[in-house]
Amino acid sequence: MGWARSQPCALALAAAVAVCAFYYLGGGGETFSSATRRLRATRAAAPPATPPGPARRERTAAGGEADRALHLLMMFTKAERSPALRSKGQAALRSLLRHGRLRRGDALHLHLVTDSASRDIGEGLLRDALRGAAFRHQVIIHDVSELTEKLFPIVEAMQKHFSAGSGTYYSDSIFFLSVAMHRIMPKEITQIIQVDLDLQYKANIRDLFEEFDNFQEGAVIGIAREMQPVYRHTFWQYRRENPQTRVGEPPPDGLPGFNSGVLLLNLEAMRRSKLYNQLLEPSMVQKLTEKYHFKGHLGDQDFFTMVGMEHPELFHVLDCTWNRQLCTWWKDHGYSDVFDQYFRCEGEVKIYHGNCNTPIPED
């Protein structure tokens, strides 16, 4: 989990000015918070306009699509002591850029969440990967300590239910970034995709952003099913007490839980959803964990899974080809008889996910 887990033309210049200190790795020592303040100040001084959004495809007077900002976030921490993480990051970025084809007017905004020791390494990987890119792009560096400081008060109460060990550790908060990102990111960012670093892209990343258009009313997050019987195991007590439940059962009729390796976060919808924000309250988290006898260790993935059992309408389920997980750990740990029912995925794979250090097929 250390790897854990894209606007109208009138605003393009304002947005570029607002993050100019970060444009193509030009951080200049400025923090994300200060850049956000400048972004808001620039917006306040600008003439009124339609709020931007990566999946909000506005039409121009000429009838074509307006500029579109595609926001993609990755975590890159503790890389200075992990050659394997650096190798995975390099492979993921290369495949992303190899298959990426943006339309005229699009810009890919790459958000990198990193620590001070890993920042130079991450910037180097991005610089190499983006050299010669055939589309506009920006890089925004987020300091993990700053984000953790904002996240901790929001997610502290849920950490004990979804983290390894019995304690609540300040540093673990970053593993819940996706859960509360709508409260962390500036409101100018309305949608963002968060991805793990152990991925290999086999399709155009822009096609994944199109999935936002398929969200049903009330859905706030796009996420694929978990492809192992992880939650068949985790919900064992609830399943024993409710033998007819779909909880933990394999697809297509069961509820196997979610995998957070690829996350589509409709931040605007998350901000508006009264239900989703109520579910972040400590009392609601406690109520659901008691109902399902839930104790996990996979951070945001556990939270989304538990909430999905109670309120599936909050989620747009991505096809398994957008997060084709390769880990088979549970096959050899007590679930060989049902494993294939979870692991099956038909169709041309768009993103491979090499979770639990599983090798990914080469192009």
Side-chain angles (χ1 to χ4, degrees), residues 5 175-176 178-179 194 260 263 298-304:
R5 326 243 175 272
F175 299 132
F176 296 85
S178 61
V179 170
Q194 178 176 330
S260 61
L263 285 169
L298 298 175
D300 57 353
Q301 176 172 313
D302 287 335
F303 175 77
F304 294 143

Side-chain angles (χ1 to χ4, degrees), residues 14-23 26-43 111 119 138-143 146 150 184-189:
V17 171
V19 295
C20 64
F22 294 108
Y23 185 80
E30 185 176 33
T31 66
F32 172 66
S33 297
S34 60
T36 302
R37 287 195 294 270
R38 289 194 297 105
L39 176 56
R40 289 171 176 160
T42 303
R43 291 266 302 156
H111 298 253
R119 175 168 178 160
Q138 292 183 347
V139 171
I140 304 95
I141 303 296
H142 302 270
D143 183 84
E146 289 190 17
K150 296 176 182 179
I184 302 300
M185 288 291 177
K187 288 184 170 57
E188 286 75 14
I189 300 178

Side-chain angles (χ1 to χ4, degrees), residues 142-215:
H142 302 270
D143 183 84
V144 68
S145 298
E146 289 190 17
L147 294 186
T148 300
E149 184 178 355
K150 296 176 182 179
L151 279 169
F152 188 68
I154 306 172
V155 304
E156 177 183 7
M158 69 174 64
Q159 287 185 208
K160 63 181 179 182
H161 302 292
F162 312 123
S163 300
S166 58
T168 298
Y169 299 99
Y170 181 81
S171 60
D172 289 342
S173 298
I174 199 61
F175 299 132
F176 296 85
L177 174 61
S178 61
V179 170
M181 200 183 299
H182 60 301
R183 299 187 184 179
I184 302 300
M185 288 291 177
K187 288 184 170 57
E188 286 75 14
I189 300 178
T190 59
Q191 295 169 341
I192 194 167
I193 294 178
Q194 178 176 330
V195 292
D196 280 359
L197 218 53
D198 55 341
L199 304 181
Q200 286 255 5
Y201 301 84
K202 305 295 183 178
N204 188 355
I205 189 63
R206 196 186 196 283
D207 294 342
L208 181 57
F209 282 92
E210 297 291 338
E211 283 289 324
F212 279 113
D213 297 338
N214 298 327
F215 280 34

